[in-house]
Amino acid sequence: RKEVEQDPGPFNVPEGATVAFNCTYSNSASQSFFWYRQDCRKEPKLLMSVYSSGNEDGRFTAQLNRASQYISLLIRDSKLSDSATYLCVVWVSYNTDKLIFGTGTRLQVFP
Amino acid sequence: GAGVSQSPRYKVTKRGQDVALRCDPISGHVSLYWYRQALGQGPEFLTYFNYEAQQDKSGLPNDRFSAERPEGSISTLTIQRTEQRDSAMYRCASSSLLTSGDNYEQYFGPGTRLTVT
């Protein structure tokens, strides 16, 4: 089983739609959580951190459920420019300090 | 300011040759990570450094892979006796923080696309 699991998609949604991505992680020692965005043929870039109480950044809302080891990302009012791959990322600090990436979920927003 | 840079951007090599991939992190960044990314997958951890010290090399696939960061800045990932299965995008990332916390972020370079023929 992979340490971080995501539905690879693709999710094809019209502009203005709300879309949600989910992610599960297996390492209960994971301490920090992130969503990264990767555009086609580009490097990953941090979208937002995920806090226990949930957090929002404009149209983006991230949630964490530690008991279920589950992370989510909600995008409201989708824009064409949101088309990208969204990577769920967990930080593991037991005997190391490293990020573990999921396979990513591809989003395609169409007009 | 300048971001993370990697060279070469593309490398085609013949099976059995050695290759050296270079990463130049953001100036002042203390930690440096190496990843390998296959098409349609997320980055896969290889190894990392805090300053010049290699902290975890558990992700290196085998002993043909090695990395160094002798002066705590530029790093080199070396693959000896390359094999076709080594073909992938190799990315490095750097961070100003040693460990995760508020505002933690890794900044990725553009990657080196390695093709072994």
Side-chain angles (χ1 to χ4, degrees), chain A:
Chain A
R1 184 187 169 190
K2 290 186 176 180
E3 288 193 67
V4 179
E5 299 220 42
Q6 295 181 252
D7 180 345
F11 284 60
N12 296 304
V13 303
E15 273 186 291
T18 296
V19 62
F21 306 137
N22 303 319
C23 164
T24 56
Y25 61 95
S26 59
N27 189 335
S28 58
S30 301
Q31 296 186 338
S32 301
F33 308 89
F34 310 90
W35 285 100
Y36 274 67
R37 170 190 169 135
Q38 186 169 23
D39 292 303
C40 190
R41 298 193 182 90
K42 297 287 189 180
E43 67 271 23
K45 292 184 179 178
L46 178 66
L47 177 67
M48 60 195 299
S49 300
V50 185
Y51 302 120
S52 297
S53 54
N55 49 297
E56 194 173 296
D57 183 0
R59 298 181 293 108
F60 298 82
T61 300
Q63 298 275 357
L64 168 65
N65 184 323
R66 284 187 187 271
S68 302
Q69 295 181 198
Y70 173 96
I71 305 161
S72 66
L73 177 68
L74 182 78
I75 306 176
R76 290 182 300 279
D77 188 23
S78 298
K79 311 291 184 192
L80 295 175
S81 57
D82 294 334
S83 298
T85 295
Y86 292 83
L87 297 157
C88 177
V89 188
V90 306
W91 176 270
V92 176
S93 60
Y94 182 74
N95 287 333
T96 187
D97 277 306
K98 65 186 181 186
L99 295 177
I100 304 295
F101 286 77
T103 55
T105 298
R106 193 154 64 89
L107 171 67
Q108 184 67 49
V109 182
F110 58 88

Side-chain angles (χ1 to χ4, degrees), chain B residues 13 18 20-21 27-28 38 42 57 64 67 74 78-79 81 83 85 90 98-99 101 105-106 111-112 116:
Chain B
T13 190
D18 297 351
L21 312 181
S27 179
K57 53 183 181 179
R64 295 186 297 105
I74 293 167
T78 301
I79 309 173
R81 304 181 303 282
E83 300 177 5
R85 60 179 170 154
Y90 290 84
L98 292 175
T99 191
E105 182 170 359
Q106 286 189 11
T112 294
V116 182

Side-chain angles (χ1 to χ4, degrees), chain B residues 15-16 64 81-88 114-117:
Chain B
R15 188 168 47 128
R64 295 186 297 105
R81 304 181 303 282
T82 52
E83 300 177 5
Q84 285 188 319
R85 60 179 170 154
D86 300 333
S87 297
L114 175 65
T115 302
V116 182
T117 61

Side-chain angles (χ1 to χ4, degrees), chain B residues 11-23:
Chain B
K11 178 69 177 178
V12 180
T13 190
K14 291 188 176 179
R15 188 168 47 128
Q17 297 294 305
D18 297 351
V19 295
L21 312 181
R22 172 182 164 133
C23 173

